[in-house]
Amino acid sequence: MSMRVLSKTTPVTRAYIRYASTDSASQKAGQAVSNAANTVKSQGLTKTLCNLYKTATSPLPASVKTPLNKTIGVLEPLVYYSEVAFHLGKQVVVRQGFTLPRKADFAAAETQLFKVLEFVKIKNVKSLKDIPLDQWKRGAIKTFELSSLFVIGEIVGRGNLIGYAH
């Protein structure tokens, strides 16, 4: 179509809609989000997310709520345990006095990595992108072999496949 034809078409107008003057659902949701941000500190992330989910899904029909409830049932423990791991890691970092690595630390680690790569007979490597795919595959197989030997050794040492023998 040419521009002349487009300019002769009737313009699209927006229909005017009267909105309710009382608190709408979006305003209530906005208030719930702001309240949730305040309660995260007092209740914890998992409990706050669960309460926010209940508030947000209360007007939905049961046919929509059922799959959402199943999804949340899977995600709730995941969020909880990730929160626990975060707080545990934070305590370890504070007690052990760990600091964030600097650029010099990354450079030192890279030189150590290249020394190891030279030791395992990978020659002429300037960066990790230069390593051919077949050497990556061989490295992955060796890593899998070593990790499986470790797991087998643990099973033999415990004397049981799962857990310790009583």
Side-chain angles (χ1 to χ4, degrees), residues 56-141:
T57 59
S58 60
L60 295 176
S63 62
V64 176
K65 274 187 188 180
T66 303
L68 285 176
N69 287 339
K70 289 180 181 177
T71 305
I72 293 299
V74 171
L75 292 178
E76 185 179 354
L78 182 69
V79 170
Y80 173 75
Y81 287 115
S82 62
E83 185 181 8
V84 168
F86 170 73
H87 289 297
L88 180 66
K90 194 164 70 171
Q91 288 179 2
V92 168
V93 165
V94 169
R95 295 243 165 88
Q96 296 294 327
F98 292 140
T99 59
L100 292 175
R102 299 180 310 268
K103 283 187 178 183
D105 297 333
F106 285 112
E110 187 178 21
T111 57
Q112 289 290 340
L113 175 66
F114 288 131
K115 285 181 184 177
V116 169
L117 291 176
E118 288 176 13
F119 179 73
V120 294
K121 308 288 189 270
I122 298 177
K123 301 291 182 193
N124 299 326
V125 176
K126 300 282 188 262
S127 73
L128 295 176
K129 294 178 183 176
D130 294 338
I131 300 174
L133 184 63
D134 63 326
Q135 288 181 342
W136 277 111
K137 289 178 182 177
R138 278 189 257 149
I141 290 170

